[in-house]
């Protein structure tokens, strides 16, 4: 660009987006909102079990994705927070049930004993059920400043994403595939787009619905989310092989132990890393029309491949 007096105008550099500061701020806000969302009342045991896992830390990636998408599309954090908390409740319940002896049978999660190890299997099942039901109640009862029609759309979308057409379906095929070493890439992709991808996509889609995005914006946001969802799982598979229990906060090497076919077992670690990176680049391309407003979602996509737990 050239100024009217002929001298080049210095390019205005906006300060670089700092993901680490952004994540820390959002994590504190989400943590406080989750803490407020679930008081302990009678019968105390079940509320304590629900809070034990809900407030056990974790990256809080799902609520942050929801809030970031809502803000990108002109909404506010306040509009998105009840749904953001509900997404973390659903994610947490899926971890509690996944860790049960009838499923993955894990003793550690998020650096502490799993829910059933502390409260017993009966309470852990009920804590998961309680969190799932409460997530939907929480969206319906606590979302403010959003047209009721959009809230209904969020509830319908999420109901589908967590049921047999989403997380539950992915978990079913995952369990049925254990010990079968002839699992094809198509089945593996079904498992992960449903078991992991459906909820990550929901975070972005629900944030978009709450803010009232257009159909074409929603298509781009969905493609972004599908790409980061698959990349997230590829990295998860790699970390299961390359990281320690201390780094992961859960038992490492589980996939090999359970004889699970994974992306690294099909493609090798280096090719898996390259594929995850390709997916992240494809995700970022979808955000180009949103310009600077998309910085948090771009940085979150990059975080997925650089994360260590
Ligand atoms: C949802 C009704 C309903 C039932 C659950 C058990 C089950 C059906 C599904 C399993 C879903 C599952 C555990 C998928 C794995 C997703 C995954 C990669 C989790 C790790 O997520 P991170 O790394 O964990 O974001 P933190 O602890 O940081 O939140």
């Amino acid at each position: 660009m050239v100024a009217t007096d002929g001298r080049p105008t210095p390019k205005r550099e906006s300060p670089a987006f700092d993901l680490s500061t952004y994540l820390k701020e959002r994590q504190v806000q989400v943590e406080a909102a989750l803490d407020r969302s679930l008081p302990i009342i009678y019968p105390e045991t079940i509320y304590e079990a629900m809070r034990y896992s809900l407030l056990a830390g974790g990256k809080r990636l799902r609520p942050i994705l929801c809030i970031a998408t809502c803000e990108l599309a002109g909404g506010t954090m306040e509009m998105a927070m009840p749904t953001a908390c509900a997404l973390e409740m659903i994610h947490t319940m899926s971890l509690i049930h996944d860790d049960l002896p009838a499923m993955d049978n894990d003793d550690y999660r998020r650096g502490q004993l799993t829910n059933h190890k502390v409260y017993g299997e009966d309470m852990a099942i009920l804590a998961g059920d309680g969190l799932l039901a409460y997530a939907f109640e929480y969206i319906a009862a606590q979302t403010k400043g959003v047209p009721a029609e959009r809230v209904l759309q969020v509830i319908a979308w999420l109901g589908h994403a967590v049921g047999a057409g989403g997380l539950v379906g992915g978990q079913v095929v995952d369990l049925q595939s254990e010990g079968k070493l002839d699992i094809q890439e198509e089945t593996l992709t079904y498992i992960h787009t449903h078991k992991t991808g459906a909820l990550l996509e929901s975070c972005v889609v629900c944030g978009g619905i709450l803010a009232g995005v257009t159909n074409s914006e929603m298509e781009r946001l969905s493609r972004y989310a599908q790409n980061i969802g698959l990349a997230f799982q590829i990295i998860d598979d790699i970390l299961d092989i390359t990281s320690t229990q201390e780094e992961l906060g859960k038992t490492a090497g589980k996939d090999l132990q359970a004889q699970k076919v994974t992306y690294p077992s099909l493609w090798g670690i280096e090719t898996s890393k390259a594929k995850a990176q390709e997916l992240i680049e494809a995700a970022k391309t979808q955000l180009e029309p949103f310009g600077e407003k998309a910085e948090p979602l771009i940085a979150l996509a990059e975080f997925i491949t650089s994360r260590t737990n």
Side-chain angles (χ1 to χ4, degrees), residues 1 13 15 111 232 285 292:
M1 225 180 148
E13 294 284 354
F232 186 90
T285 305
E292 273 187 18

Side-chain angles (χ1 to χ4, degrees), residues 57-62 88 90-91 93-95 97-98 103 109-110 132 162-163 167-168 171 195-196 232-233 236 250 307 309:
K59 296 178 285 297
R60 308 310 193 193
L61 184 61
R62 290 155 189 82
E88 190 65 26
I90 294 169
H91 171 54
M93 79 70 57
S94 80
L95 300 179
H97 281 195
D98 192 53
M103 303 230 193
R109 173 71 71 176
R110 292 173 164 172
L132 182 61
V162 304
L167 262 83
V168 170
Q171 180 76 348
K195 191 179 140 169
T196 305
F232 186 90
Q233 186 60 50
D236 218 63
K250 60 179 182 181
R307 73 196 175 99
N309 70 11

